[in-house]
Amino acid sequence: MLTLTHSQAAFKDAQSLMPGGVNSPVRSYGRVRCTPPFIASAKGSSITDIDGNTYIDYVGSWGPMIAGHAHPRVVKALQEAAARGTSYGAPTLLESEIARLIKSIYPSIEKLRMVNSGTEATMSALRVARGFTGRDKIIKFQGCYHGHADSLLVSAGSGAATFGQPDSPGVPAATAADTITLPYNDSKSFNRIMDGFGNDIAAVIVEPVAGNMGLVLPEESFLQALRSQTQAHGAILIFDEVMCGFRTALHGAQAYYGITPDMTCLGKIIGGGLPAAAYGGKAYLMDCVSPAGPIYQAGTLSGNPLAMTAGIETLRIITEDPSYTVRVTAHTTTLTEGLRQKAAEAGVAVCVHQSGSMFSLFFTDKDVKNFADSSAADQDAFAVYFQSMLEQGIYLPPSQFETCFVSGAHTDDDIRRTIEAAGTAFAAVASYRQSR
Ligand SMILES: *Cc1c(COP(=O)(O)O)cnc(C)c1O
């Protein structure tokens, strides 16, 4: 039995200090009805809470930790960088270095700007698209999460889905009115809207592999429709690869599916566990950004030397060895195949999706293609599965609307232990269903 005495006290204390006791909603474990372990430290594939429980970690700080926690090279580079000062508010060589690295991996990005979060990246990319086209309306897809900027917090996934708040109070109706939301993977309704209003659309923003309604894979014809319609109507196609970048494949979903967007948003991995993100794309678009052009965007800590250092070192680790991401993907495949097999043995219908080093599991007998499918899956079964896994030392995201992440630090033994634990968890789901 898992002891969470210290975490329980810490959570109670934190609730008097922060809304829900957390600085980001999903961390509160609301949907899975247990206390979130408070974390003391992490190393490689494992994470340890303040009660001394150690877990195999598949949250990976929600994506960034592809090289594992506290990678010795990242830690050393950060220690050396900190000793040189933590922020200057002035240009550094590190910023050009990370820009060059990112460009070399994402050739569709001709110029880019570093920001501090994925939210800032998508918000700024939209501003560029609107400023460049002189149009206000944008299209996003239900269940896709692009951060919490006003115009994007409409039919959003992630925490907004977990808590049933697709539209947040405080988002002006006029702002939401400029956001058209359509079902993911539905080329037909997309084509119909573009045929009718395409010349009023500034941008189409999409997670080319959707990771915030659980992991949902794109149909290739859907991504192709996005590209051809935006091209035909002079709208900007923005790929939000904040999550799937470097994971679906090293060169992102855009390389994997062979579709080149006008702009790309990156985050998570490029900060190596520190706050950093970026938006970039065609030079003629990025040259509209201040001070080169009239579209304003700025940041006191943008390009921060510590964040750039952690990002550069992480990108080096995953690119120097050309098989790094391929290996992590292979580990993930072993895991997803094991999960499917254990679920079948327990007689529990699941839909397991994988894209590179990401995976997720829905309790449903249907293939999950969009937010409606994802929402229809059995979330109570998920809570039972989640609790059983946590008890067995497997740390998963506490919601079926979140994606699991594998790192280069996960070992064969980690994967084997996780599959074993899943067998027990699926049996718990089966007996829960019998008792229901
Ligand atoms: C995490 C995420 C964001 C938001 O990034 P933050 O750094 O949390 O603001 C945006 N888009 C996608 C696809 C994400 O997964």
Side-chain angles (χ1 to χ4, degrees), residues 24 62 116-122 144-148 158 206-212 240-244 265 267-268 276-277 405:
S24 197
W62 308 92
N116 305 297
S117 68
T119 295
E120 271 185 81
T122 56
C144 283
Y145 179 68
H146 304 292
H148 61 89
S158 189
V206 68
E207 287 182 71
V209 171
N212 287 286
D240 179 353
E241 296 218 33
V242 168
M243 183 188 291
C244 63
C265 298
K268 301 200 163 110
F405 301 95

Side-chain angles (χ1 to χ4, degrees), residues 184-315:
Y184 196 76
N185 271 331
D186 185 346
S187 306
K188 230 160 123 188
S189 65
F190 175 72
N191 284 330
R192 194 162 56 230
I193 291 289
M194 288 304 280
D195 290 343
F197 309 97
N199 294 337
D200 296 327
I201 304 296
V204 174
I205 185 165
V206 68
E207 287 182 71
V209 171
N212 287 286
M213 47 179 147
L215 187 68
V216 175
L217 307 177
E219 283 165 12
E220 281 182 46
S221 59
F222 174 65
L223 294 181
Q224 278 156 5
L226 303 188
R227 181 64 284 182
S228 60
Q229 286 280 13
T230 46
Q231 214 139 32
H233 291 96
I236 308 300
L237 179 60
I238 304 172
F239 271 12
D240 179 353
E241 296 218 33
V242 168
M243 183 188 291
C244 63
F246 312 94
R247 283 205 176 263
T248 290
L250 175 61
H251 304 278
Q254 51 195 269
Y256 187 86
Y257 291 101
I259 308 256
T260 306
D262 302 306
M263 298 186 83
T264 299
C265 298
L266 297 171
K268 301 200 163 110
I269 284 173
I270 64 168
L274 271 78
Y279 68 99
K282 299 241 161 74
Y284 67 81
L285 292 170
M286 293 308 290
D287 282 335
C288 298
V289 176
S290 184
I295 299 171
Y296 196 70
Q297 185 271 314
T300 301
L301 292 173
S302 292
N304 173 271
L306 291 188
M308 298 305 97
T309 297
I312 289 167
E313 209 54 41
T314 300
L315 292 181

Side-chain angles (χ1 to χ4, degrees), residues 73-242:
R73 280 177 58 182
V74 177
V75 172
K76 179 161 181 285
L78 277 173
Q79 282 167 339
E80 289 169 4
R84 289 190 294 266
T86 53
S87 186
Y88 321 118
T92 62
L93 295 172
L94 293 169
E95 292 160 84
S96 301
E97 188 174 354
I98 200 165
R100 193 166 279 118
L101 253 172
I102 290 172
K103 267 169 55 75
S104 73
I105 304 171
Y106 283 80
S108 75
I109 300 180
E110 295 168 3
K111 281 193 178 176
L112 66 150
R113 163 98 15 118
M114 298 303 299
V115 291
N116 305 297
S117 68
T119 295
E120 271 185 81
T122 56
M123 182 183 81
S124 307
L126 277 188
R127 185 177 300 148
V128 170
R130 284 170 159 157
F132 178 80
T133 59
R135 305 170 184 175
D136 289 338
K137 295 215 178 301
I138 60 159
I139 293 178
K140 82 173 279 290
F141 297 92
Q142 289 155 11
C144 283
Y145 179 68
H146 304 292
H148 61 89
D150 280 354
S151 42
L152 291 166
L153 207 54
V154 182
S155 294
S158 189
T162 309
F163 292 91
Q165 282 172 215
D167 303 305
S168 171
V171 174
T175 304
D178 281 331
T179 302
I180 299 167
T181 66
L182 296 171
Y184 196 76
N185 271 331
D186 185 346
S187 306
K188 230 160 123 188
S189 65
F190 175 72
N191 284 330
R192 194 162 56 230
I193 291 289
M194 288 304 280
D195 290 343
F197 309 97
N199 294 337
D200 296 327
I201 304 296
V204 174
I205 185 165
V206 68
E207 287 182 71
V209 171
N212 287 286
M213 47 179 147
L215 187 68
V216 175
L217 307 177
E219 283 165 12
E220 281 182 46
S221 59
F222 174 65
L223 294 181
Q224 278 156 5
L226 303 188
R227 181 64 284 182
S228 60
Q229 286 280 13
T230 46
Q231 214 139 32
H233 291 96
I236 308 300
L237 179 60
I238 304 172
F239 271 12
D240 179 353
E241 296 218 33
V242 168

